[in-house]
């Protein structure tokens, strides 16, 4: 079974631009979560989607947004990029939300975003 | 709020040495606990998990026991190999108060194993 895939793997953007990152979960998984990883702040939760609905949101400004499609694929968007948005963005998928029996999360390889 | 505290790294060991990476947590309710490993240039891989007190998670020679009385989930391995060199993250997922998969991570511990 194919794992979580994220595209693109690497991105270089300029301050003020916007960017869209994509995540395809493991087949059959309905929950997708996004995390930001930086050397200074570590791993921080961005948002979580289940069946196209945002279930939870982390403490990030409104420039960060996301969505999930009917096939469970998810995208996140960052508008008006700042230098501090440079990070590894990780997507994780699981079978369902914590109310169901399976909630182990499986991570993709990440998208490395560099803002110049 | 919920949080995870890990021992500071880097941890440098010789091959076949015993490994312990300490992890303690603060959480309401009854969290599930996880160890993830990240190899250079890669995403996170689930190493092991425990979902209730006294559960022992194990995988690839690594073990961790969910200790509610000490709010700890220390990672151990009896004999490390050079291939175990990576960053290890302790994490919790709180199931109390609603349905969420949100993981709260520790800061990570870099393990370097020398031949």
């Amino acid at each position: 079974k194919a794992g979580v895939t994220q595209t693109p793997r690497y991105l270089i953007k300029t301050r003020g631009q916007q960017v869209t990152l994509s995540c395809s979960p493991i087949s059959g998984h309905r929950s997708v979560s996004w995390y930001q990883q930086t050397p200074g702040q570590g791993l921080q939760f961005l948002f979580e989607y289940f069946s196209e609905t945002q279930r939870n949101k982390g403490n990030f400004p409104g420039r960060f947004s996301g969505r999930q499609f009917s096939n469970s694929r998810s995208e996140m968007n960052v508008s008006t990029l700042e230098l501090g948005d440079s990070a590894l963005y990780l997507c994780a998928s699981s079978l369902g939300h914590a109310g169901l029996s399976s909630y182990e999360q499986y991570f993709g390889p990440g998208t490395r975003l560099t803002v110049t | 709020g919920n949080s995870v505290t890990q021992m500071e790294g880097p941890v440098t060991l010789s091959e076949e040495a015993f490994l312990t990476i300490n992890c303690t947590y603060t959480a309401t309710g009854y969290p599930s606990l996880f160890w993830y490993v990240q190899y250079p240039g890669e995403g996170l891989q689930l190493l092991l998990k425990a979902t209730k007190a006294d559960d022992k998670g194990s995988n690839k020679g690594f073990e961790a026991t969910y200790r509610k009385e000490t709010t700890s989930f220390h990672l151990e391995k009896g004999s490390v190999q050079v291939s175990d060199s990576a960053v290890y993250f302790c994490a919790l997922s709180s199931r109390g108060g609603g349905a969420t998969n949100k993981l709260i991570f520790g800061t990570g511990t870099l393990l370097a194993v020398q031949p």
Side-chain angles (χ1 to χ4, degrees), chain A residues 9 31 35 37 43 45 48 56 88 90 94 96-98 103-105 107-109, chain B residues 32 34 36 38 41-44 46 49 51 89 95 98-103 105:
Chain A
R9 291 292 310 277
S31 176
Y35 295 83
Q37 185 177 24
L43 281 154
F45 172 79
E48 174 193 357
N56 203 348
L88 180 67
L90 293 163
S94 67
H97 62 76
Y103 49 87
E104 293 175 11
Q105 294 191 58
F107 283 79
Chain B
S32 294
F34 305 86
Y36 281 86
Q38 186 174 35
E42 297 184 11
L44 301 177
L46 177 62
K49 70 172 185 178
T51 59
F89 292 92
R95 292 179 289 171
T100 178
N101 271 327
K102 175 183 175 181
L103 286 168
F105 288 92

Side-chain angles (χ1 to χ4, degrees), chain B residues 38-42 85-87:
Chain B
Q38 186 174 35
Y39 297 98
E42 297 184 11
S85 298
V87 180

Side-chain angles (χ1 to χ4, degrees), chain A residues 30 50 95-103:
Chain A
R30 297 169 63 194
F50 177 73
L95 276 171
H97 62 76
L100 303 178
S101 61
S102 292
Y103 49 87

Side-chain angles (χ1 to χ4, degrees), chain A residues 79-96:
Chain A
S79 62
T80 319
L81 283 166
E82 300 177 358
L83 294 178
D85 297 332
S86 295
L88 180 67
Y89 290 88
L90 293 163
C91 167
S93 79
S94 67
L95 276 171

Side-chain angles (χ1 to χ4, degrees), chain B residues 32-69:
Chain B
S32 294
L33 301 173
F34 305 86
W35 277 100
Y36 281 86
V37 58
Q38 186 174 35
Y39 297 98
E42 297 184 11
L44 301 177
Q45 296 179 24
L46 177 62
L47 183 59
L48 53 84
K49 70 172 185 178
T51 59
K52 61 183 187 297
D54 300 325
D55 264 3
K56 177 186 282 189
S58 62
N59 186 26
K60 299 180 182 180
F62 291 91
E63 293 183 339
T65 301
Y66 189 141
R67 302 286 188 198
K68 190 168 175 59
E69 64 275 14

Side-chain angles (χ1 to χ4, degrees), chain A residues 24-89:
Chain A
S24 293
I26 292 170
S27 177
H29 285 196
R30 297 169 63 194
S31 176
V32 173
S33 298
W34 289 89
Y35 295 83
Q36 182 195 63
Q37 185 177 24
T38 60
Q41 299 298 316
L43 281 154
Q44 294 187 287
F45 172 79
L46 279 157
F47 9 73
E48 174 193 357
Y49 289 89
F50 177 73
S51 292
E52 301 179 69
T53 300
Q54 187 178 86
R55 289 283 184 176
N56 203 348
K57 189 178 190 306
N59 188 26
F60 279 82
R63 300 185 297 106
F64 291 80
S65 63
R67 59 178 176 169
Q68 186 181 33
F69 302 96
S70 59
N71 62 358
S72 295
R73 191 177 69 84
S74 177
E75 289 181 347
M76 67 163 282
N77 185 78
V78 187
S79 62
T80 319
L81 283 166
E82 300 177 358
L83 294 178
D85 297 332
S86 295
L88 180 67
Y89 290 88

